[in-house]
């Protein structure tokens, strides 16, 4: 089933058709949410709520566009809200603890992940979308609704801050 | 910025030749590019932490729950209507309003206005896109 068919069927009241969209995009959405929120439990909550937002607002979806970029805006709104809520409640060390290294992960990769989790959510988002998803400057500009020049400067500063965090590995491991 | 764009494989304000010419004479920029290249390599080694959770059963349950009960906005509109109609009736009884036409029309207009807000035009005939499509093919 094509996404647009699923959306049309949902609009006609076929709730089951929404399952197609959830199953197709949940893994990607959970990965994005995990990267943005910094922990798996919050990622599952915000992704679930973002899918509910999407279902409620399907009438606003433009069928000529792709589903995921539209859904991503809802997801990132949820992630930013969750991040703001848990900013004071969760200490940095809790977030770092949540990202345990896997047996196959080299130490360096673990350090990078930990450093990413310690970044501000806006910095983390742009780095994740650029490096892990491979979005181009133009795609980032369009989907984050910011000018291309802003994408470049935000990416530049986010990388500077990430480099700074990576240069303090002993602090990150604490 | 131009060197960063080049490393990202993006077009920049300066040509690659201009960037190279600058890097040849600027130690600070050369160091910055070297450190950025290292960072790119480190980030290339990182992958998403994938979570294999099936969200559909819970999403489906909550969607069904949401559809079976009226939304907050609808509930508030209906409660508001009940309060206004109750107050209107009370005012009628207390003040003994004499105009029977107005007494009947005001509640009717209120009901129509609220229904219009909650379910759309109560006198309208709704056709879904699916029905329209079927009409077109038959």
């Amino acid at each position: 089933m094509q996404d647009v068919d699923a959306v049309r069927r949902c609009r006609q009241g076929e709730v089951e058709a929404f399952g197609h969209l959830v199953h197709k995009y949940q893994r990607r959405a959970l990965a994005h949410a995990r990267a943005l929120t910094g922990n798996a439990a919050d990622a599952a909550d915000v992704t679930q709520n973002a899918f509910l937002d999407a279902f409620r607002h399907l009438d606003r979806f433009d069928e000529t566009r792709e589903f995921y970029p539209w859904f991503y805006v809802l997801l990132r709104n949820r992630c930013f809200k969750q991040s703001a809520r848990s900013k004071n409640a969760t200490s940095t060390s809790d977030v770092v603890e949540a990202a345990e290294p896997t047996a196959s992960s080299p130490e360096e990769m673990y350090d990078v992940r930990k450093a990413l989790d310690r970044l501000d959510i806006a910095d983390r988002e742009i780095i994740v979308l650029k490096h892990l998803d491979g979005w181009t400057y133009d795609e980032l500009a369009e989907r984050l609704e910011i000018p291309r020049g802003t994408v470049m400067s935000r990416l530049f500063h986010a990388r500077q801050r990430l480099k700074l965090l990576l240069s303090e590995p002993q602090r990150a491991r604490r | 910025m131009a060197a960063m764009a080049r490393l990202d494989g993006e077009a920049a304000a300066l040509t690659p030749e201009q960037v190279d010419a600058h890097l040849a004479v600027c130690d600070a920029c050369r160091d910055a590019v070297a450190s950025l290249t290292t960072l790119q390599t480190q980030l290339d080694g990182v992958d998403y932490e994938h979570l294999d959770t099936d969200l559909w059963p819970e999403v489906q349950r909550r969607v069904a729950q949401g559809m079976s009960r009226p939304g907050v906005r609808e509930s508030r509109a209906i409660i508001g209507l009940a309060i206004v109609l109750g107050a209107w009736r009370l005012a009628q009884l207390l003040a003994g309003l004499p105009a029977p036409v107005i007494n009947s029309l005001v509640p009717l207009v209120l009901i129509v206005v609220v229904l219009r807000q909650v379910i759309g035009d109560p006198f309208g005939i709704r056709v879904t896109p699916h029905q329209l499509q079927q009409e077109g093919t038959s």
Side-chain angles (χ1 to χ4, degrees):
Chain A
M1 193 195 314
Q2 298 292 312
D3 289 357
V4 69
D5 296 328
V7 170
R8 281 178 192 155
R9 285 166 65 174
C10 287
R11 285 173 176 164
Q12 288 160 20
E14 275 188 58
V15 177
E16 291 301 318
F18 194 64
H20 162 81
L21 296 168
V22 174
H23 284 128
K24 184 172 177 183
Y25 294 112
Q26 64 181 355
R27 192 172 153 85
R28 188 175 171 191
L30 279 165
H32 275 146
R34 162 64 188 86
L36 293 184
T37 59
N39 72 78
D42 283 349
D45 281 348
V46 297
T47 308
Q48 196 179 94
N49 287 328
F51 274 120
L52 288 167
D53 292 342
F55 184 81
R56 288 189 198 110
H57 300 118
L58 270 182
D59 53 325
R60 296 183 199 165
F61 173 65
D62 177 357
E63 289 182 10
T64 60
R65 311 193 75 164
E66 287 177 61
F67 179 80
Y68 193 81
W70 175 77
F71 171 75
Y72 179 76
V73 176
L74 302 173
L75 179 67
R76 78 187 287 267
N77 286 344
R78 284 280 180 181
C79 289
F80 274 71
K81 275 184 199 163
Q82 178 60 36
S83 175
R85 264 201 299 268
S86 57
K87 205 169 190 173
N88 297 325
T90 311
S91 70
T92 306
S93 59
D94 291 337
V95 174
V96 171
E97 280 303 309
E100 287 295 325
T102 59
S104 59
S105 301
E107 177 109 335
E108 191 181 70
M109 196 195 289
Y110 179 56
D111 283 345
V112 177
R113 268 197 181 173
K114 281 197 299 180
L116 276 172
D117 281 345
R118 292 175 64 208
L119 276 179
D120 173 70
I121 186 169
D123 287 346
R124 204 184 311 151
E125 178 185 43
I126 201 148
I127 287 183
V128 159
L129 295 178
K130 178 80 192 93
H131 288 278
L132 277 69
D133 262 3
W135 290 12
T136 63
Y137 289 175
D138 288 336
E139 285 170 336
L140 286 166
E142 187 195 335
R143 293 170 190 180
L144 302 182
E145 295 176 344
I146 51 177
R148 192 175 190 271
T150 309
V151 168
M152 291 177 73
S153 71
R154 274 181 55 185
L155 199 51
F156 177 79
H157 292 296
R159 282 166 167 165
Q160 293 296 320
R161 286 188 272 268
L162 182 61
K163 276 195 288 186
L164 200 66
L165 289 172
L166 284 168
S167 67
E168 310 168 329
Q170 66 281 17
R171 203 182 134 200
R173 282 197 191 105
R174 234 181 284 152
Chain B
M1 283 283 186
M4 181 186 82
R6 187 177 153 194
L7 281 176
D8 285 334
E10 300 272 353
L14 299 177
T15 64
E17 292 75 25
Q18 287 173 313
V19 174
D20 286 338
H22 178 72
L23 290 177
V25 295
C26 179
D27 289 345
C29 284
R30 214 169 32 242
D31 289 346
V33 168
S35 108
L36 186 57
T37 309
T38 308
L39 182 69
Q40 302 261 48
T41 312
Q42 288 173 313
L43 284 167
D44 286 345
V46 178
D47 194 9
Y48 278 120
E49 184 184 333
H50 288 291
L51 307 170
D52 287 316
T53 309
D54 186 9
L55 300 174
W56 176 236
E58 185 59 15
V59 170
Q60 188 181 28
R61 188 188 68 76
R62 289 176 64 184
V63 164
Q65 201 177 41
M67 287 174 86
S68 65
R69 66 176 183 215
V72 175
R73 188 175 146 269
E74 286 81 3
S75 302
R76 281 182 186 160
I78 290 166
I79 290 168
L81 175 66
I83 291 169
V84 170
L85 289 179
W88 176 256
R89 182 69 187 139
L90 196 65
Q92 273 184 320
L93 291 171
L94 292 176
L97 292 176
V101 177
I102 292 176
N103 286 350
S104 310
L105 278 180
V106 169
L108 183 65
V109 169
L110 283 173
I111 288 168
V112 170
V113 167
V114 171
L115 281 180
R116 204 182 170 90
Q117 288 294 316
V118 173
I119 59 166
D121 184 358
F123 304 114
I125 298 168
R126 258 164 282 165
V127 180
T128 65
H130 182 63
Q131 285 169 321
L132 271 180
Q133 206 175 10
Q134 281 186 329
E135 291 265 331
T137 52
S138 63

